[in-house]
C-alpha cells in the first residue's frame, strides 16, 4: 500500500515538475510529447493496466495516476492511454509468445503501441475486413483513427471477419509493403485539439496478419458488451481535464479577487469531488456481475463527468476573459481537451445520454 502511494506521489511529482510547465508545448510539439511519454516510461508508469509482475499498481491507483496525467497535460493523458489500452489487450491474449515478447517492455515504454479499433463500433458494412487464409488473415479497408503516428511503432488493430467476429492483432504503425500487401498511414490530421498526438487514418490493402501476431478473436458484437463493462474507463481522463479547468479558475481567483469566481470554484469543486467519489465507488467497490444494474448507474456518471468537464472548461475560459482566445492560453487548451475527452470512446448510448444531459433544464 505504501509502495503504491509512493508511486502516485512519484507520478505527481514528475508531472508537476516536468510536465505541467510544458503543457502548451506538449499540446503542439510531437517531439516534446514523445520526451514526456518516455519520462512516464522511465518512471515505470506505462504499465498501469498490466497484471503483476509486469503491472505496477492496483486499479484505483492506476486510475488516479491517469487522472493526474490528464490534469497536467491532456495530450499526454490521451497519448499514454492508447498505449495502456494496447498493453491491456496484450496482457489478456492467450498468445503466450506475443506476451513474452511484449509484456516485459511495455511499462518502461521500450516498446510503444497504439490502438485502432473504435471503427468496430460503427454500424453498417465493416470499415476494416479480415479474410481468413492459410496461416492468418488478409486485412483490407480504412482505419479512421489511430493516435500516435511516429510516437508509437505498432498498433493493436481490430478487423471484422465475414462471420462478424473480430480479430485483434498487432500491425506496424509505419508505411510498408510486404508480400503484395500494403499499409498506408495518411499525414497526421489537423486537429482542433492535441495536434501533437499525431492522429492519422490509414488504408490496409491485403495486409497479411500471421497467426503469430494475432492477440485474440472475439464474438460478433463483443465490443458493445465490452463498452458497457468499460463505460467508466476514460472517466479518469475526463475528471483530470475537469480538475485542470478548476486549477485555472483557482489561479484566476487569486489574480482577480472577485467573490463570484471563488464561489464558482467552490461549487464546481464540490460537484467534482462528489462525481469522482461516486465513480470510484462504482468502479472499485461494486461488482459488475449484474452488468445491467451496474451499467444503469455507471452510464449517468460517465455523462456527469463529461458535462462537468465541459462546464468547468467553460468556467475557465469565462474567468480568463479575452485572454482565453490567445493561442497559448491554458484555458483555451483545456477547453479543447474537453472536446476530445468528451467524445473519446463514445458509443451511441453515451452520445444520447450526453445530449439528454445538455437538454436538462437548469
Ligand atoms: C483526436 C482523436 C484521436 C483518436 N484516436 C483514436 C485511436 O487512437 N484509436 C481508436 O480506436 N480510436 C480513436 N479515436 C476515435 C474515438 O474513440 C471516436 O471518436 C469515438 O469512438 C467515436 O466514434 P466516431 O468518431 O468514429 O463516431 P461515430 O462513427 O459517429 O460513432 C459514434 C457512435 O455512434 C454510433 N453511430 C454512428 N452513426 C450511426 C448510425 N448511422 N446509426 C446508428 N449508430 C450510429 C456508432 O455505432 C458509435 O457507437 C480518436 C478520436 C479523436 C477525436
Amino acid at each position: 500500500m505504501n509502495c503504491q502511494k509512493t508511486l502516485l506521489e512519484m507520478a505527481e511529482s514528475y508531472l508537476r515538475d516536468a510536465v505541467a510547465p510544458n503543457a502548451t508545448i506538449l499540446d503542439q510539439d510531437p517531439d516534446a510529447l514523445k520526451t514526456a511519454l518516455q519520462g512516464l516510461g522511465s518512471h515505470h508508469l506505462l504499465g498501469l493496466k498490466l497484471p503483476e509482475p509486469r503491472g505496477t499498481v492496483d486499479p484505483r491507483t492506476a486510475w488516479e495516476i491517469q487522472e493526474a496525467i490528464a490534469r497536467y497535460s491532456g495530450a499526454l493523458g490521451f497519448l499514454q492511454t492508447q498505449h495502456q489500452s494496447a498493453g491491456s489487450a496484450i496482457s489478456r491474449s492467450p498468445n503466450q509468445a506475443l506476451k513474452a515478447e511484449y509484456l516485459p517492455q511495455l511499462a518502461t515504454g521500450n516498446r510503444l503501441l497504439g490502438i485502432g479499433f473504435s471503427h468496430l463500433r460503427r454500424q453498417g458494412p465493416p470499415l476494416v475486413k479480415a479474410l481468413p487464409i492459410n496461416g492468418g488473415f488478409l486485412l483490407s479497408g480504412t482505419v479512421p483513427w489511430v493516435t500516435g503516428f511516429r510516437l508509437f511503432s505498432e498498433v493493436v488493430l481490430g478487423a471484422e471477419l465475414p462471420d462478424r467476429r473480430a480479430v485483434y492483432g498487432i500491425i506496424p504503425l509505419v508505411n510498408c509493403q510486404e508480400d503484395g500487401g500494403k499499409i498506408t498511414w495518411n499525414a497526421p490530421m489537423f486537429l482542433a485539439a492535441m495536434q501533437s498526438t499525431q492522429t492519422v487514418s490509414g488504408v490496409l490493402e491485403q495486409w497479411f496478419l500471421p497467426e503469430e501476431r494475432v492477440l485474440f478473436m472475439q464474438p460478433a458484437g463483443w465490443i458493445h458488451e465490452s463498452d458497457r463493462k468499460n463505460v467508466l474507463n476514460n472517466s479518469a481522463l475526463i475528471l483530470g481535464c475537469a480538475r485542470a479547468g478548476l486549477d485555472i479558475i483557482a489561479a484566476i481567483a487569486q489574480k482577480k479577487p472577485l467573490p463570484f469566481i471563488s464561489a464558482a470554484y467552490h461549487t464546481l469543486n464540490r460537484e467534482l469531488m462528489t462525481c469522482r467519489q461516486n465513480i470510484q465507488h462504482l468502479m472499485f467497490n461494486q461488482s459488475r456481475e449484474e452488468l445491467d444494474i451496474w451499467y444503469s448507474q455507471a452510464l449517468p456518471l460517465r455523462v456527469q463527468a463529461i458535462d462537468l468537464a465541459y462546464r468547468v472548461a467553460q468556467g475557465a475560459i469565462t474567468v480568463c476573459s479575452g485572454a482565453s482566445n490567445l493561442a497559448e492560453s491554458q484555458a483555451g487548451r483545456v477547453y479543447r481537451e474537453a472536446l476530445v475527452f468528451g467524445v473519446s470512446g463514445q458509443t451511441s448510448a453515451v452520445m444520447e445520454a450526453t445530449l439528454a444531459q445538455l437538454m436538462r433544464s437548469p
Side-chain angles (χ1 to χ4, degrees):
M1 185 70 185
N2 275 342
C3 175
Q4 283 158 10
K5 262 196 175 161
T6 306
L7 192 73
L8 179 58
E9 284 165 8
M10 190 260 298
E12 278 273 359
S13 101
Y14 167 67
L15 291 165
R16 271 197 299 264
D17 296 349
V19 171
N22 300 317
T24 302
I25 190 88
L26 293 178
D27 187 54
Q28 298 161 358
D29 178 357
D31 292 333
L33 187 62
K34 180 146 196 181
T35 303
L37 185 72
Q38 284 164 340
L40 290 179
S42 55
H43 290 82
H44 283 250
L45 292 169
L46 292 176
L48 297 177
K49 292 189 175 175
L50 304 182
E52 298 215 57
R54 306 293 180 203
T56 24
V57 284
D58 72 288
R60 182 189 289 258
T61 309
W63 187 96
E64 290 180 358
I65 291 173
Q66 293 212 307
E67 178 191 35
I69 300 171
R71 173 183 185 179
Y72 296 114
S73 162
L76 185 59
F78 192 65
L79 183 69
Q80 62 82 40
T81 199
Q82 315 296 328
H83 172 78
Q84 312 270 14
S85 297
S88 165
I90 294 169
S91 72
R92 286 181 279 115
S93 170
N95 185 333
Q96 297 303 331
L98 270 190
K99 279 164 78 160
E101 181 184 341
Y102 282 87
L103 288 184
Q105 311 209 48
L106 296 177
T108 53
N110 282 354
R111 251 172 137 156
L112 290 164
L113 298 95
I115 53 168
F117 42 73
S118 61
H119 49 270
L120 293 176
R121 293 193 184 98
R122 290 199 178 168
Q123 309 284 319
L127 285 184
V128 186
K129 294 182 187 170
L131 185 67
I133 59 166
N134 219 356
F137 301 87
L138 280 185
L139 306 179
S140 309
T142 300
V143 187
W145 301 102
V146 173
T147 288
F149 190 65
R150 296 210 182 91
L151 299 165
F152 302 144
S153 51
E154 292 165 296
V155 55
V156 172
L157 185 96
E160 195 172 308
L161 275 82
D163 64 5
R164 309 220 43 230
R165 285 181 304 153
V167 58
Y168 290 73
I170 298 178
I171 66 166
L173 188 51
V174 289
N175 289 336
C176 48
Q177 292 194 38
E178 222 173 83
D179 302 329
K182 193 172 171 189
I183 302 182
T184 311
W185 299 107
N186 296 314
M189 298 171 196
F190 286 107
L191 298 170
M194 306 184 190
Q195 181 61 39
S196 57
T197 59
Q198 304 276 88
T199 298
V200 295
S201 59
V203 178
L204 307 179
E205 295 167 76
Q206 307 285 309
W207 181 258
F208 180 57
L209 173 71
E211 268 159 16
E212 299 77 56
R213 311 300 289 168
V214 169
L215 289 171
F216 41 70
M217 313 280 292
Q218 296 294 1
W222 175 81
I223 193 162
H224 302 300
E225 190 64 6
S226 160
D227 280 341
R228 278 155 51 88
K229 280 189 197 130
N230 297 321
V231 67
L232 288 175
N233 272 16
N234 79 342
S235 60
L237 303 179
I238 299 168
L239 291 186
C241 178
R243 176 54 62 194
L246 274 177
D247 290 342
I248 293 167
I249 298 176
I252 296 297
Q254 301 294 314
K255 278 196 207 152
K256 301 179 184 175
L258 299 166
F260 51 80
I261 297 182
S262 303
Y265 171 81
H266 289 299
T267 303
L268 290 166
N269 187 44
R270 264 196 307 275
E271 212 183 311
L272 175 58
M273 297 302 283
T274 305
C275 182
R276 183 177 190 269
Q277 200 176 9
N278 291 341
I279 285 178
Q280 288 202 333
H281 176 68
L282 211 53
M283 285 190 85
F284 308 119
N285 300 342
Q286 296 289 306
S287 156
R288 288 171 215 198
E289 225 157 79
E290 302 272 4
L291 186 59
D292 285 347
I293 296 173
W294 185 88
Y295 179 72
S296 70
Q297 296 171 296
L299 176 64
L301 284 175
R302 159 89 167 257
V303 167
Q304 267 176 37
I306 292 172
D307 182 62
L308 192 53
Y310 287 164
R311 285 188 292 119
V312 172
Q314 280 185 329
I317 60 169
T318 303
V319 299
C320 290
S321 316
S324 304
N325 281 278
L326 299 177
E328 304 218 326
S329 159
Q330 302 298 317
R333 174 178 58 77
V334 169
Y335 187 68
R336 297 192 304 276
E337 290 171 358
L339 182 163
V340 177
F341 292 133
V343 298
S344 160
Q346 185 193 57
T347 62
S348 47
V350 170
M351 189 196 286
E352 182 183 10
T354 307
L355 289 176
Q357 177 85 25
L358 289 176
M359 289 184 293
R360 212 176 258 180
S361 46

